[in-house]
Amino acid sequence: MIDLGMTKLIALLQFLLALGGCSLGATQYSSHISNGLRDVLISKAQVQDGVARFDCKASDSGWCHYTVYPEACGGGRDCALAPLQRFAVARGESRQIAGLRDFKLCVSLDDTALGPDCQPMVAREPAR
């Protein structure tokens, strides 16, 4: 078990590294959708120090639509967890969200609801 003094020392070192422009690592995501001949959507995302940045580099629709699921979903269609966030970013723009760390990212050209497998969600018929 780490004592409270050691925890404070580690936090101070992380803070000093961040001030100096150093980081303990980043996770990067890249999404490309093509029509076979060319890319119709290019998106980059990066998570560093608890801040996620979403960059819509190119999109034929003018927007990159993001659906962010908990990493626990792992891309399984049967995951019952709701998305953490759904939002759109205009082509050439970016958005930052603090507090996102481990997640599964789905990106599309339109605002169609995507499931945790990044496929359009199938409308479920009401139970009888």
Side-chain angles (χ1 to χ4, degrees):
M1 180 180 254
I2 297 177
D3 69 7
L4 189 56
M6 183 61 91
T7 303
K8 287 182 179 180
L9 178 62
I10 291 170
L12 177 62
L13 288 174
Q14 287 178 330
F15 175 73
L16 292 173
L17 286 171
L19 281 178
C22 298
S23 176
L24 297 179
T27 302
Q28 297 186 7
Y29 302 84
S30 180
S31 300
H32 295 260
I33 298 175
S34 69
N35 65 4
L37 302 174
R38 65 181 187 79
D39 288 328
V40 295
L41 181 140
I42 301 172
S43 170
K44 307 272 184 192
Q46 177 174 305
V47 182
Q48 188 167 3
D49 300 325
V51 178
R53 178 184 171 104
F54 302 88
D55 294 304
C56 183
K57 301 290 188 182
S59 174
D60 280 5
S61 72
W63 294 89
C64 294
H65 294 268
Y66 296 91
T67 305
V68 181
Y69 278 96
E71 187 177 54
C73 281
R77 186 169 222 15
D78 58 346
C79 180
L81 298 175
L84 299 171
Q85 297 265 338
R86 285 191 74 215
F87 57 92
V89 176
R91 177 180 48 228
E93 299 291 324
S94 65
R95 178 174 180 183
Q96 291 190 47
I97 301 175
L100 286 178
R101 289 193 185 270
D102 301 319
F103 56 84
K104 165 83 169 108
L105 181 62
C106 299
V107 187
S108 66
L109 286 164
D110 59 33
D111 63 353
T112 300
L114 299 177
D117 60 351
C118 295
Q119 298 300 313
M121 294 182 75
V122 178
R124 298 177 190 234
E125 292 186 23
R128 294 182 193 189

